[in-house]
Amino acid sequence: MDIDKRMTLKDAVAKFIQDGDTVYYGGFQIHVPMALTHEIIRQKKRHLTTVESSTDVGGLDILVGAGCVTEIHTAWIMNWYVKAPYAIRRAFNKGHLKRHDISNFGATSALMAGFLGIPFIPVRGNIGTDMPIHNRKDIRFLEDPFTGEKITVVRAWRADVAIIHAQKADRLGNVVSYGTRGVTDEFGAMGTKRGVIVTAEEIVEPEEIRSDPDRVIVPYFKTLAVVHCPWGAHPSACRGYYGLDIRFSQYQGRYERHAELLPEFLDEWVYGCKDHAEYIEKYKEKFGQEGLDRLKPTLGFKPKLDIDYGYHDPAVWKGVPLYNDDRLKAYEEALAAKKGGN
């Protein structure tokens, strides 16, 4: 069914993210859904729980700092260029945030279990750490029924809705992503109960997506909303479009570090911008177009492997007699005679 799922950032968040939801927070250090992060903050969504494997540039940090998130299940959160997620640390220390830590592989496995539709999945690891002591909500031990050995299992993570950023999507909701993005966006998105909100650098025709189907990480039937949003991961990177904005990550991180300063950052860069396009314009006004120009890709490569997804039409066999030989013919005739005799 040809349903156009394009909508504005504001409408997508208002329609599909509700207070109290569990949200898969996308990205794997790159492709962090920053435009969606800002819009969730603008709309003052509350009491969210997030699940994620690995995220950077302080997106989840400011989401917690703005009071949107009260519980997180995670492996690794950072604003790498200031070395810590300070708002998360403050919220946890003050008892405003429940935090459930797990290993990177444990988090990926939990998302995979959600994708597979199973209640839990065994993993090697976490034994010998204090994670199972402090995170009973996600990690347990079982006896391996085949060997009798003690093994770790992690519960499946199934969010209500996923938020991700990608390079391309079509109006139907088929999402294309590539580069060093990890694998958790596929698992986190496909395991959701309701579906996925995606921001994309480009909206392309469905025929273009169909021409290279192996790069589709989310098919149309799992997508709730498609938002055309250039620079939608900034200051995070989006492979093929722009790199990580180190200076802005540092700038934002200095605000994250101080509880009394973070609200001023939010007032200027989030609440003070009606949408992500206005946020980018503010960036250019304050730091110059050259700041964005520095992020344009200058290194990298395009795969040289010539891929052809061509296939033949089975209708070419219409009217062609079955292949046969004397042995098969004699055997089948004998079987038919035997059945007739019975």
Side-chain angles (χ1 to χ4, degrees):
M1 188 178 294
D2 192 342
I3 299 175
D4 193 332
K5 296 180 179 178
R6 291 173 294 181
M7 61 181 69
T8 67
L9 194 64
K10 180 178 180 180
D11 289 345
V13 170
K15 185 174 182 179
F16 295 117
I17 298 181
Q18 309 302 321
D19 290 350
D21 274 351
T22 296
V23 178
Y24 168 71
Y25 192 82
F28 190 82
Q29 301 185 36
I30 66 170
H31 293 200
V32 179
M34 291 301 295
L36 280 159
T37 300
H38 289 178
E39 188 58 35
I40 291 170
I41 294 171
R42 284 189 202 99
Q43 296 191 24
K44 294 183 168 60
K45 301 293 182 179
R46 292 292 182 263
H47 307 296
L48 301 177
T49 295
T50 65
V51 292
E52 62 282 322
S53 174
S54 177
T55 188
D56 203 353
V57 301
L60 192 52
D61 201 38
I62 64 171
L63 200 61
V64 170
C68 300
V69 178
T70 53
E71 184 171 338
I72 57 177
H73 297 257
T74 190
W76 192 90
I77 301 170
M78 185 62 75
N79 182 337
W80 188 250
Y81 292 93
V82 292
K83 305 303 182 188
Y86 293 100
I88 289 173
R89 178 188 292 177
R90 288 192 298 271
F92 177 72
N93 288 339
K94 291 180 179 180
H96 299 157
L97 177 71
K98 294 178 182 178
R99 177 172 175 169
H100 306 275
D101 289 291
I102 193 170
S103 68
N104 277 287
F105 184 67
T108 301
S109 298
L111 292 165
M112 182 188 293
F115 164 70
L116 293 172
I118 57 178
F120 59 84
I121 194 168
V123 299
R124 292 288 184 189
N126 296 291
I127 294 176
T129 73
D130 61 358
M131 288 183 184
I133 299 171
H134 297 288
N135 187 4
R136 293 282 294 167
K137 200 163 185 178
D138 294 316
I139 308 170
R140 300 290 176 92
F141 296 116
L142 289 181
E143 181 181 292
D144 183 336
F146 297 101
T147 66
E149 295 179 358
K150 187 178 182 182
I151 191 165
T152 311
V153 296
V154 295
R155 74 175 178 96
W157 287 352
R158 291 199 66 204
D160 295 304
V161 64
I163 58 172
I164 66 173
H165 183 75
Q167 284 98 338
K168 297 181 181 183
D170 63 24
R171 66 179 181 275
L172 308 178
N174 296 299
V175 180
V176 166
S177 187
Y178 49 88
T180 50
R181 54 179 169 74
V183 294
T184 57
D185 279 3
E186 293 101 310
F187 299 152
M190 294 302 291
T192 53
K193 298 173 183 176
R194 298 204 299 267
V196 184
I197 303 172
V198 56
T199 52
E201 296 294 322
E202 292 186 65
I203 306 298
V204 299
E205 289 301 313
E207 290 72 21
E208 183 174 333
I209 302 289
R210 293 189 190 107
S211 73
D212 200 358
D214 285 353
R215 298 193 191 280
V216 175
I217 67 166
V218 182
Y220 71 95
F221 59 81
K222 201 65 181 180
T223 301
L224 298 170
V226 175
V227 180
H228 182 215
C229 193
W231 299 96
H234 182 272
S236 175
C238 184
R239 284 292 180 265
Y241 291 81
Y242 46 89
L244 173 66
D245 193 330
I246 294 173
R247 287 293 177 263
F248 192 86
S249 294
Q250 291 171 321
Y251 168 80
Q252 175 182 300
R254 287 154 65 196
Y255 279 92
E256 292 171 47
R257 185 187 293 267
H258 306 288
E260 60 275 17
L261 280 181
L262 183 54
E264 296 186 27
F265 176 87
L266 296 176
D267 284 342
E268 180 178 1
W269 290 94
V270 182
Y271 300 121
C273 301
K274 68 178 182 180
D275 55 25
H276 197 68
E278 193 166 299
Y279 158 86
I280 293 297
E281 287 304 311
K282 178 179 284 293
Y283 179 100
K284 290 190 284 189
E285 291 170 8
K286 190 155 188 169
F287 300 115
Q289 177 66 46
E290 60 270 23
L292 297 179
D293 291 342
R294 289 189 184 97
L295 306 180
K296 292 179 180 178
T298 57
L299 302 172
F301 63 93
K302 289 186 177 180
K304 294 183 178 180
L305 192 62
D306 184 14
I307 301 297
D308 184 355
Y309 291 100
Y311 57 93
H312 85 287
D313 186 347
V316 300
W317 294 103
K318 187 176 181 180
V320 177
L322 290 174
Y323 290 169
N324 208 349
D325 59 30
D326 291 342
R327 185 186 303 110
L328 280 171
K329 186 177 179 180
Y331 184 80
E332 289 168 352
E333 288 176 350
L335 281 179
K338 184 177 180 181
K339 288 180 181 179
N342 294 333

PDB file of all heavy atoms in Angstrom, residues 48 168 173 190 230:
ATOM      1  N   LEU A  48      10.350   9.133  30.205  1.00  0.00           N
ATOM      2  CA  LEU A  48      10.774   8.187  29.181  1.00  0.00           C
ATOM      3  C   LEU A  48      11.809   7.224  29.754  1.00  0.00           C
ATOM      4  O   LEU A  48      12.605   7.584  30.623  1.00  0.00           O
ATOM      5  CB  LEU A  48      11.366   8.917  27.975  1.00  0.00           C
ATOM      6  CG  LEU A  48      10.466   9.923  27.255  1.00  0.00           C
ATOM      7  CD1 LEU A  48      11.237  10.598  26.134  1.00  0.00           C
ATOM      8  CD2 LEU A  48       9.203   9.256  26.727  1.00  0.00           C
ATOM      9  N   LYS A 168      19.308   7.950   3.901  1.00  0.00           N
ATOM     10  CA  LYS A 168      18.222   8.060   2.927  1.00  0.00           C
ATOM     11  C   LYS A 168      16.992   7.292   3.386  1.00  0.00           C
ATOM     12  O   LYS A 168      17.090   6.278   4.086  1.00  0.00           O
ATOM     13  CB  LYS A 168      18.661   7.519   1.559  1.00  0.00           C
ATOM     14  CG  LYS A 168      19.813   8.280   0.920  1.00  0.00           C
ATOM     15  CD  LYS A 168      20.168   7.696  -0.447  1.00  0.00           C
ATOM     16  CE  LYS A 168      21.340   8.446  -1.077  1.00  0.00           C
ATOM     17  NZ  LYS A 168      21.666   7.939  -2.429  1.00  0.00           N
ATOM     18  N   GLY A 173       8.769   4.837   3.780  1.00  0.00           N
ATOM     19  CA  GLY A 173       9.380   4.476   5.046  1.00  0.00           C
ATOM     20  C   GLY A 173      10.470   3.440   4.960  1.00  0.00           C
ATOM     21  O   GLY A 173      10.926   2.927   5.985  1.00  0.00           O
ATOM     22  N   MET A 190      13.655  -2.793  14.529  1.00  0.00           N
ATOM     23  CA  MET A 190      12.778  -3.891  14.154  1.00  0.00           C
ATOM     24  C   MET A 190      12.138  -4.570  15.363  1.00  0.00           C
ATOM     25  O   MET A 190      11.105  -5.244  15.228  1.00  0.00           O
ATOM     26  CB  MET A 190      13.554  -4.921  13.328  1.00  0.00           C
ATOM     27  CG  MET A 190      14.002  -4.395  11.972  1.00  0.00           C
ATOM     28  SD  MET A 190      12.626  -3.838  10.952  1.00  0.00           S
ATOM     29  CE  MET A 190      11.824  -5.392  10.590  1.00  0.00           C
ATOM     30  N   PRO A 230      18.077  17.405   6.784  1.00  0.00           N
ATOM     31  CA  PRO A 230      19.517  17.556   6.570  1.00  0.00           C
ATOM     32  C   PRO A 230      20.221  18.002   7.846  1.00  0.00           C
ATOM     33  O   PRO A 230      19.679  18.804   8.609  1.00  0.00           O
ATOM     34  CB  PRO A 230      19.594  18.635   5.485  1.00  0.00           C
ATOM     35  CG  PRO A 230      18.265  18.573   4.795  1.00  0.00           C
ATOM     36  CD  PRO A 230      17.272  18.224   5.861  1.00  0.00           C
TER      37      PRO A 230
END
